[in-house]
Amino acid sequence: MRAKLLMTLLAVFCITICPAKKPQRADVVFNRAPLIEVPYAQLPLGDIKPQGWLRHQMQTMLDGMTGNLDEVYEFVVGDNNAWLGGQGDAWERGPYWIDGALPMAYIMENKELKAKALKWVEAILNSQKENGYFGPDTDRPHIAGMQRNNAADWWPRMVALKILQQYYMATADQRVIDFMSRYFDYQLKMLPTTPLGKWTFWATERAGDNLLIVHWLYNITGDEKLLQLGEILHKQSADWTARFTTDNHLFRQNSIHCVNLAQGFKEPVIYYQQSGEEKYLNAPQEALRRIRHTIGFPTGLWAGDEYLHFGDPTRGSELCTAIEMMYSLEEMYRITGDNTYADLLERVTYNALPTQITDQGDARQYYQQINQVEVTRKPRNFSTPHEDTDILFGELTGYPCCTCNLHQGWPKFVQNLWLKTKEGGLAAMVYAPSTLSTRIADDIEVSIEEQTSYPFEEQISFNISFPDKKHRSAEFPFELRIPEWSEGYTLTLNGAEIKAESLRKGTIRINRTWADGDKLTLSLNAQVRQSRWWDSAAVIERGPLLYALRMEEKWEKHICQGDDIKELGKYYYEVTSPTEWNVALRRADLSADKLQSSFKVERNSQTSDNPWSLESAPILIHAKALKLPAWGMSYNSAADFTFYNQQPAKGEVGEEVDITLIPYGCTTLRIAEFPVR
């Protein structure tokens, strides 16, 4: 083991010190028969760069925990981690971090983080045995705060495979292909007698992650044994298709772990590529229909703290659920081209994700509440509480898995802003300020700058250029998504309105010869909308954003002492507010003929690189509300209340007040699901 560690350190030294070779370019990987044809493929890692507010967000994460977790959480993901040859943590947390840190490093071209990530890559590659197995395999005595048992479990290796896939997408390092081929030969040999569930149930629940990489490798090598392995993995997986269609898991509380649901969402669609059976393609759509009126939250997620609950807005929603659901939706959209998944991806990313991480990227919240009126170290109605630290903002508060897993959220979102189409064109999957530099048509370089403040504005411009002076134009199809919420759209090219081909529901295509300097502009139409959730509580929406009551925030930092440091990290934040939150929306204002005039939209004239904050919220919505003096606190949260009734109790409603709503992702404290009176 000492020799392998030395080899790893020498490899990293060479990567960081030796003269750099010109990086290889990974090929775009589409499905190979007999897998079904898919509409999209990911571009090489690094082709897409964030700009504007998105770059600021990525830099914040880079400067915060993502770039420095080996110092913040050295006890677990430092050099003593068993994946690096040490004697420490041997399970998921180290690989979780690198699964986000590696794409962050390549997208942001950060040498320091790249060196940290490559140390793990080399350690993983060098850990492979002759039989194909890799990674830690020795259980050690328990140490509080570490996971040193079940070291041989199949599950954490699934995370490591995702790391290697991304590394290959950035470097085309052939060692990854050889490594995976050996490991999948090992799995094919061992799984019949040593199934996924031998050590823990996590591998069974999350087998879709394993199957996804098996298909990816098959598309590169064409090794038919991988399809045999795919069948085994699907058969040993939890039956997500049945859970979504024929049984009662989504109608029954405490039935599924919240993060397993997010990861399991993609398994039927991934397997559909191999089976071709429509039931697997349709199963997640049925799940979404069921979730909408049972466990669902308006953020696109569900009540799960940690087990599923019906969608009471004071139940918790775990940060890992948002992160893993984003990843599932990204992969499901790539396979299906179904804009339901792209719309939902924006909903999760632009609402749930920003509010669960501090503006400085130095702390995160394990659970968030839709109606969250104080963040304090007090008990709440959660199925899995952790010393009542679950909604504190801290380094390790709640449970430490999210500290390590949160990092893949923003980088993988950036990686999936653009996709290659099966016809050889490009597709804007979801919208955010970015630049794309890639090769198109006959290996012609093209650069597209996506100029926008989306999701805070509805106009997106694409500036097209050809850096190589030998090629100043190229013919290729360009696909755009029209979100479900947009009431029509306008498309202009160099200032003149043009028409586009309708490719499928919500997807348009422009097929032409593009010239250097072309500017394509998509203008969407966002109107104020209302939706109804728990007990017909009203939620105000506009575009991809939810809106919540603006509450003043008082942040208080607590420095941890003694045993709390190992359990919670060096500090945590509590947040309270003097703002009165117990208000109802007026029923008359929500009628179709009054909604637009009753909720007045104002754009903040003060622009900021950090729009996800209380002070710099780019959009405000002003409205009237009615005070509800009887609506108070219960179990340290906003009390259960009659959100909808036909006959309000006499004297229940108090005075009329003015309220301001801001994007949900800009809030820490809020009411987002309102009673209606």
Side-chain angles (χ1 to χ4, degrees):
M1 186 65 74
R2 187 182 300 273
K4 286 188 176 182
L5 181 58
L6 180 59
M7 290 172 61
T8 298
L9 293 174
L10 287 172
V12 173
F13 176 82
C14 187
I15 288 167
T16 54
I17 303 299
C18 296
K21 298 179 181 178
K22 186 176 180 179
Q24 293 178 278
R25 183 173 178 82
D27 291 331
V28 173
V29 179
F30 282 95
N31 275 0
R32 174 196 296 257
L35 298 183
I36 65 160
E37 186 177 67
V38 298
Y40 301 119
Q42 285 189 324
L43 293 156
L45 184 62
D47 278 11
I48 306 164
K49 304 292 186 187
Q51 300 298 334
W53 71 259
L54 184 54
R55 183 169 185 84
H56 181 274
Q57 181 66 45
M58 291 279 280
Q59 189 65 50
T60 297
M61 301 303 297
L62 182 59
D63 295 340
M65 287 197 293
T66 301
N68 300 286
L69 198 66
D70 54 336
E71 300 171 24
V72 172
Y73 200 20
E74 182 182 10
F75 177 67
V76 165
V77 304
D79 288 341
N80 192 41
N81 190 282
W83 284 89
L84 295 177
Q87 302 297 309
D89 199 275
W91 213 49
E92 66 183 4
R93 294 182 195 169
Y96 262 163
W97 172 42
I98 303 303
D99 191 28
L102 187 143
M104 172 71 83
Y106 278 95
I107 289 170
M108 297 296 284
E109 299 180 346
N110 184 273
K111 293 181 180 179
E112 291 77 13
L113 185 56
K114 189 180 293 186
K116 292 180 182 183
L118 291 180
K119 180 170 69 174
W120 285 75
V121 169
E122 294 298 328
I124 292 169
L125 291 173
N126 288 323
S127 72
Q128 191 165 49
K129 299 179 180 180
E130 288 186 9
N131 64 1
Y133 182 83
F134 72 94
D137 61 358
T138 303
D139 288 352
R140 295 182 172 89
H142 176 68
I143 294 178
M146 285 189 184
Q147 295 170 305
R148 304 209 306 167
N149 63 333
N150 297 316
D153 189 12
W154 296 107
W155 154 238
R157 281 150 191 82
M158 299 180 194
V159 185
L161 291 171
K162 290 164 62 186
I163 294 170
L164 294 180
Q165 180 203 33
Q166 293 171 96
Y167 170 66
Y168 182 86
M169 289 169 60
T171 66
D173 189 333
Q174 180 62 32
R175 292 181 301 162
V176 171
I177 305 305
D178 299 337
F179 177 98
M180 287 187 180
S181 296
R182 290 190 292 268
Y183 177 64
F184 289 146
D185 282 346
Y186 173 82
Q187 278 200 307
L188 184 61
K189 178 181 177 181
M190 297 300 296
L191 281 175
T193 57
T194 312
L196 292 177
K198 176 176 172 58
W199 286 278
T200 72
F201 78 114
W202 300 104
T204 302
E205 297 286 307
R206 301 172 176 185
D209 290 55
N210 201 150
L211 180 58
L212 188 152
I213 304 298
V214 168
H215 283 171
W216 177 79
L217 185 65
Y218 170 75
N219 289 327
I220 294 174
T221 68
D223 184 352
E224 293 184 358
K225 295 195 303 294
L226 292 168
L227 299 181
Q228 299 175 36
L229 176 58
E231 292 289 353
I232 294 172
L233 289 167
H234 173 69
K235 288 176 182 176
Q236 293 190 9
S237 169
D239 192 346
W240 289 102
T241 302
R243 290 180 177 184
F244 291 165
T245 59
T246 59
D247 70 19
N248 65 358
H249 276 74
L250 302 180
F251 301 139
R252 178 164 51 88
Q253 299 196 93
N254 301 310
S255 59
I256 304 176
H257 185 276
C258 57
V259 183
N260 286 343
L261 175 56
Q263 292 189 248
F265 237 97
K266 62 183 174 291
E267 198 279 340
V269 169
I270 293 169
Y271 182 63
Y272 165 72
Q273 298 174 100
Q274 185 165 346
S275 73
E277 293 184 61
E278 293 287 322
K279 69 176 183 179
Y280 298 110
L281 180 66
N282 297 333
Q285 294 287 353
E286 175 61 22
L288 292 176
R289 284 190 287 271
R290 295 183 177 199
I291 286 171
R292 177 62 178 85
H293 295 290
T294 55
I295 61 174
F297 277 159
T299 53
L301 300 173
W302 43 84
D305 51 33
E306 293 173 352
Y307 284 91
L308 300 186
H309 280 271
F310 298 143
D312 179 337
T314 60
R315 300 302 305 219
S317 179
E318 187 179 327
L319 176 55
C320 280
T321 302
I323 298 298
E324 293 293 353
M325 189 60 174
M326 288 172 60
Y327 179 63
S328 287
L329 292 167
E330 287 156 359
E331 294 295 338
M332 292 161 73
Y333 182 80
R334 175 185 61 81
I335 294 167
T336 66
D338 188 330
N339 285 305
T340 300
Y341 301 132
D343 287 343
L344 190 55
L345 173 59
E346 286 192 350
R347 181 175 282 259
V348 174
T349 306
Y350 289 148
N351 294 288
L353 183 60
T355 186
Q356 219 156 346
I357 302 169
T358 59
D359 294 345
Q360 301 78 32
D362 67 335
R364 90 293 176 271
Q365 187 183 37
Y366 188 59
Y367 301 143
Q368 66 173 281
Q369 297 171 298
I370 302 297
N371 286 354
Q372 182 168 278
V373 296
E374 67 172 52
V375 171
T376 51
R377 193 173 182 178
K378 298 176 183 177
R380 287 173 178 83
N381 187 28
F382 299 147
S383 64
T384 312
H386 302 87
E387 305 298 325
D388 303 325
T389 67
D390 300 284
I391 68 170
L392 301 176
F393 284 85
E395 294 176 327
L396 305 176
T397 47
Y399 193 71
C401 61
C402 292
T403 297
C404 300
N405 194 26
L406 69 89
H407 311 282
Q408 67 171 318
W410 286 114
K412 290 185 181 178
F413 181 72
V414 171
Q415 172 63 15
N416 286 280
L417 291 173
W418 293 86
L419 294 169
K420 189 75 171 286
T421 74
K422 64 182 180 182
E423 295 83 8
L426 297 170
M429 171 191 176
V430 292
Y431 299 123
S434 62
T435 55
L436 170 66
S437 297
T438 192
R439 294 185 179 276
I440 207 71
D442 296 322
D443 204 33
I444 297 174
E445 267 190 274
V446 62
S447 179
I448 304 178
E449 180 185 11
E450 182 176 352
Q451 286 186 324
T452 185
S453 294
Y454 191 95
F456 307 107
E457 71 171 354
E458 296 75 56
Q459 183 168 291
I460 308 127
S461 292
F462 302 93
N463 299 316
I464 299 171
S465 61
F466 295 89
D468 187 348
K469 293 182 180 180
K470 297 178 182 178
H471 302 282
R472 308 305 284 172
S473 65
E475 182 180 358
F476 61 87
F478 189 1
E479 296 180 17
L480 299 172
R481 171 179 138 265
I482 307 302
E484 183 275 334
W485 51 259
S486 183
E487 298 183 13
Y489 69 92
T490 302
L491 193 65
T492 62
L493 178 63
N494 302 327
E497 188 168 345
I498 63 169
K499 299 295 182 183
E501 170 192 2
S502 180
L503 185 61
R504 67 180 77 88
K505 184 180 178 182
T507 302
I508 59 174
R509 179 168 60 191
I510 307 98
N511 199 349
R512 69 185 303 273
T513 298
W514 301 92
D516 188 74
D518 276 349
K519 181 174 183 177
L520 182 70
T521 299
L522 174 65
S523 299
L524 303 169
N525 183 16
Q527 299 292 318
V528 175
R529 312 184 311 279
Q530 66 147 326
S531 56
R532 296 301 181 105
W533 294 82
W534 175 258
D535 191 33
S536 290
V539 172
I540 300 301
E541 307 184 29
R542 184 179 179 276
L545 301 178
L546 311 177
Y547 284 78
L549 180 69
R550 187 187 189 281
M551 297 176 61
E552 295 298 328
E553 298 171 1
K554 178 185 177 184
W555 287 70
E556 184 176 354
K557 188 173 185 178
H558 295 261
I559 305 300
C560 295
Q561 305 290 336
D563 291 341
D564 269 0
I565 296 177
K566 186 176 289 187
E567 294 295 322
L568 307 179
K570 294 183 290 296
Y571 54 83
Y572 64 82
Y573 298 97
E574 290 188 311
V575 191
T576 55
S577 176
T579 303
E580 293 185 335
W581 51 265
N582 50 342
V583 296
L585 299 182
R586 302 187 305 182
R587 181 175 284 109
D589 292 344
L590 298 172
S591 63
D593 59 332
K594 291 187 177 180
L595 189 63
Q596 303 307 317
S597 59
S598 298
F599 293 85
K600 299 179 176 61
V601 177
E602 176 192 353
R603 295 191 179 275
N604 191 342
S605 59
Q606 303 298 316
T607 59
S608 170
D609 286 337
N610 178 30
W612 301 110
S613 69
L614 185 72
E615 294 76 16
S616 57
I619 303 176
L620 301 88
I621 297 179
H622 303 286
K624 298 287 186 182
L626 300 169
K627 292 192 68 173
L628 293 174
W631 189 18
M633 299 281 287
S634 175
Y635 210 39
N636 304 302
S637 296
D640 188 20
F641 200 72
T642 305
F643 286 85
Y644 171 83
N645 63 26
Q646 290 181 298
Q647 297 176 324
K650 187 175 182 180
E652 178 193 33
V653 174
E655 64 181 314
E656 182 182 283
V657 293
D658 294 319
I659 60 169
T660 299
L661 309 178
I662 60 175
Y664 182 99
C666 301
T667 67
T668 299
L669 304 179
R670 60 187 163 261
I671 295 293
E673 294 192 30
F674 289 90
V676 177
R677 294 295 186 268

